[in-house]
């Protein structure tokens, strides 16, 4: 057990990464508390409208469409640590002002829309910079573990945040829950400030303005099929399949007639599975193959369909555990495949593109999920999204098989077995060039 723990959490031995993970965990617990309370607040202010939830979620991610690629350019051009201090400070101040409005009792629905947009602007800069910054915190051999633990930190917060919010909403007024949540959002400012810049693994070469053009990053990805597949797949699945902030709140309150604490249980079940998925990839020491990403995508689509057809609250909660597992295992494997296959000078812009297609498509998907749920029922918006993800995974699998020359072979007896037959016995991908 000691050996397993030392392997799983070995990146935490690095002081800068330990500060990073701690600050992120504290902030994200607060963020998930805030988002859970915000969903409940929107339903109260809008008269239980799934469409209003879709609008709020869309507004949080609209800035990703506009600003994320620019954030990636900034990450390749300037000091990532200083950028993160500034972006997190802006997020914290904005969140505190919003919480004061809610606590004072004067908040109306358009206030929620406005602050969702403002918080989204801060996140659209912070996210690609943070994604690229992880590679500066640890040496190359520790990078897969560091990325996996970052995902585990996110999902630990997804467990603790909604669970705490569910209990707090049952005990305290909504405004008090917002105040508690936003107090936690200041943590990353101090953790980034305390880091030792001398211990960061960064290039000594200073990037010039002409070296960080956005169009060059897009051309770089276009020439790399091994990057196009996970980025394209996550664009489709991120847009349609990852809309649980919209669907779960509506499913709990409208279909299962549950209270805020029960809604927190649904979100927690999803996050428990997601944490398991994140830890499952923490022992990864090399770049995952394309079929690892595709297999996770197929499994995620199947389980999301099952959640949409769940006949009761308990069944839905149980099915959300494997759904959460494969959601984060997929996202993490795709992230690893992209991040560990990109040259260091392009990492900020490539990860910005990944964030753009994964999160930036959320306004489209959230609005569609809200509209669909309002007109055809919330459960159908979930199973239809799962069916879309399943089809997208099959299309991506077909593309990968045709481009690589690999094929699938099905044996019927004596035991049914589906196996992959490679066109060549040796690895066909060039090794990734990763520099600190």
């Amino acid at each position: 057990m000691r050996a397993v723990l030392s392997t799983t959490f070995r990146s935490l031995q690095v002081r800068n990464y330990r500060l990073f993970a701690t600050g992120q965990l504290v902030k994200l617990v607060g963020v998930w508390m805030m988002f859970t309370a915000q969903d409940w607040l929107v339903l109260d202010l809008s008269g239980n409208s799934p469409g209003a939830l879709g609008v709020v979620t869309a507004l949080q991610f609209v800035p990703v469409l506009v600003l994320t690629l620019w954030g990636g350019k900034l990450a390749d051009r300037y000091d990532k640590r200083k950028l993160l201090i500034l972006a997190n400070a802006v997020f914290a101040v904005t969140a505190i002002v919003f919480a004061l409005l809610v606590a004072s009792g004067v908040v109306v629905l358009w206030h929620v829309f406005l602050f969702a947009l403002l918080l989204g602007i801060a996140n659209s800069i912070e996210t690609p910079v943070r994604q690229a910054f992880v590679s500066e915190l640890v040496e190359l051999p520790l990078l897969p573990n560091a990325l996996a633990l970052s995902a585990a930190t996110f999902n630990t917060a997804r467990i603790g945040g909604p669970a705490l919010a569910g209990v707090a909403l049952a005990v305290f007024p909504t405004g008090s829950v917002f105040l508690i949540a936003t107090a936690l959002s200041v943590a990353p400012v101090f953790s980034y400030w305390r880091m030792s810049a001398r211990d960061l693994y960064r290039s000594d070469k200073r990037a010039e303005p002409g070296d960080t053009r956005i169009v060059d990053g897009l051309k770089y990805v276009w020439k790399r099929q091994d990057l196009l597949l996970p980025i394209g797949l996550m664009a489709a699945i991120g847009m349609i399949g990852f809309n649980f902030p919209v669907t779960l709140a509506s499913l709990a309150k409208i279909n299962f007639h549950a209270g805020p604490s029960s809604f927190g249980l649904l979100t927690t079940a999803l996050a428990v599975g997601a944490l398991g998925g994140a830890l499952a990839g923490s022992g990864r020491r090399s770049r995952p193959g394309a079929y690892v990403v595709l297999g996770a995508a197929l499994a995620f689509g199947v389980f999301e369909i099952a959640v949409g057809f769940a006949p009761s609250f308990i069944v839905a909660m149980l099915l959300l555990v494997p759904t959460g597992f494969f959601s984060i295992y997929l996202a993490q494997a795709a992230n690893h495949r992209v991040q560990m296959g990109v040259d260091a000078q392009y990492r900020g812009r490539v990860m910005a593109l990944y964030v753009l297609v994964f999160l930036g498509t959320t306004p489209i998907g959230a609005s569609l999920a809200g509209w669909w749920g309002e007109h055809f029922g919330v459960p159908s918006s979930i199973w239809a999204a799962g069916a879309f993800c399943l089809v997208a995974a099959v299309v991506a699998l077909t593309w990968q098989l045709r481009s690589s020359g690999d094929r699938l072979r099905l044996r019927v007896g004596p035991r049914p077995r589906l196996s992959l037959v490679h066109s060549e016995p040796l690895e066909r991908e060039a090794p990734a060039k990763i520099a600190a």
Side-chain angles (χ1 to χ4, degrees), residues 227-364:
L227 300 180
L228 276 176
L229 180 94
I231 289 176
L233 182 61
M234 294 312 297
I237 293 180
M239 177 174 62
I240 301 298
F242 280 45
N243 288 305
F244 295 110
V246 177
T247 55
L248 289 188
S250 301
L251 187 69
K253 190 167 188 179
I254 298 172
N255 289 82
F256 296 137
H257 309 290
S261 57
S262 297
F263 163 50
L265 285 177
L266 284 185
T267 311
T268 301
L270 183 73
V272 166
L275 177 60
L279 292 177
S282 64
R284 186 176 290 134
R285 295 178 180 271
S286 60
R287 189 184 185 207
Y291 295 107
V292 173
V293 178
L294 292 168
L298 290 167
F300 171 73
V302 169
F303 279 108
E304 186 167 23
I305 292 172
V307 171
F309 286 107
S312 67
F313 180 90
I314 297 297
V315 174
M317 186 174 68
L318 293 175
L319 286 171
L320 282 169
V321 175
T323 304
F325 179 95
F326 285 108
S327 71
I328 197 62
Y329 193 82
L330 164 62
Q332 182 176 280
N335 186 300
H336 286 187
R337 185 155 177 82
V338 172
Q339 180 132 228
M340 298 187 69
V342 65
D343 293 321
Q345 63 266 33
Y346 289 99
R347 183 172 286 116
R349 283 163 289 173
V350 173
M351 294 313 299
L353 178 62
Y354 178 84
V355 171
L356 173 64
V357 301
F358 184 32
L359 299 179
T361 53
T362 300
I364 302 170

Side-chain angles (χ1 to χ4, degrees), residues 33-326:
M33 285 185 68
M34 188 196 322
F35 285 170
T36 304
Q38 177 182 274
D39 289 344
W40 211 253
L41 177 65
V42 168
L43 289 173
D44 284 340
L45 294 175
S46 65
N48 292 340
S49 170
L53 273 180
V55 170
V56 169
T57 304
L59 287 172
Q60 286 174 335
F61 292 97
V62 161
V64 177
L65 285 170
V66 181
L67 299 174
T68 294
L69 289 178
W70 185 62
K73 177 179 179 177
L74 292 177
D76 284 337
R77 177 75 176 87
Y78 298 106
D79 188 314
K80 298 179 185 64
R81 174 173 159 269
K82 292 179 180 178
L83 287 173
L84 287 168
I85 291 174
L86 178 60
N88 279 280
V90 171
F91 181 93
V93 171
T94 305
I96 289 170
V97 173
F98 182 31
L100 291 174
L101 273 178
V102 178
S104 65
V106 300
V107 68
V108 293
L109 192 58
W110 73 264
H111 290 153
V112 184
F113 292 161
L114 174 62
F115 279 93
L117 180 64
L118 294 176
L119 292 171
I121 291 173
N123 276 331
S124 66
I125 301 298
E126 190 265 353
T127 303
V129 179
R130 172 170 44 81
Q131 290 272 346
F133 184 58
V134 177
S135 64
E136 295 187 0
L137 294 171
V138 296
E139 295 180 283
L140 177 59
L142 286 179
L143 183 57
N145 179 255
L147 293 171
L149 288 182
S150 295
T153 298
F154 177 83
N155 287 287
T156 300
R158 274 216 311 189
I159 295 171
L164 288 173
V167 173
L169 285 169
V171 177
F172 302 112
T174 305
S176 300
V177 179
F178 270 88
L179 289 173
I180 295 169
T182 53
L184 302 176
S185 65
V186 186
V189 177
F190 297 103
S191 63
Y192 288 125
W193 189 271
R194 293 183 59 199
M195 286 182 184
S196 171
R198 294 176 300 176
D199 295 333
L200 294 175
Y201 298 90
R202 52 174 57 160
S203 174
D204 294 330
K205 181 182 177 182
R206 182 179 178 85
E208 300 297 330
D211 297 335
T212 57
R213 296 190 308 168
I214 293 174
V215 67
D216 290 337
L218 298 177
K219 289 179 179 178
Y220 175 81
V221 173
W222 183 254
K223 296 176 182 178
R224 296 280 304 275
Q225 181 193 332
D226 61 318
L227 300 180
L228 276 176
L229 180 94
I231 289 176
L233 182 61
M234 294 312 297
I237 293 180
M239 177 174 62
I240 301 298
F242 280 45
N243 288 305
F244 295 110
V246 177
T247 55
L248 289 188
S250 301
L251 187 69
K253 190 167 188 179
I254 298 172
N255 289 82
F256 296 137
H257 309 290
S261 57
S262 297
F263 163 50
L265 285 177
L266 284 185
T267 311
T268 301
L270 183 73
V272 166
L275 177 60
L279 292 177
S282 64
R284 186 176 290 134
R285 295 178 180 271
S286 60
R287 189 184 185 207
Y291 295 107
V292 173
V293 178
L294 292 168
L298 290 167
F300 171 73
V302 169
F303 279 108
E304 186 167 23
I305 292 172
V307 171
F309 286 107
S312 67
F313 180 90
I314 297 297
V315 174
M317 186 174 68
L318 293 175
L319 286 171
L320 282 169
V321 175
T323 304
F325 179 95
F326 285 108

Side-chain angles (χ1 to χ4, degrees), residues 12 15-28 153 184 187-188 191 194:
L12 293 177
R15 179 179 180 273
N16 278 349
Y17 184 81
R18 192 163 60 247
L19 286 169
F20 170 82
T22 303
Q24 283 298 115
L25 178 61
V26 174
K27 174 192 173 179
L28 289 171
T153 298
L184 302 176
S191 63
R194 293 183 59 199

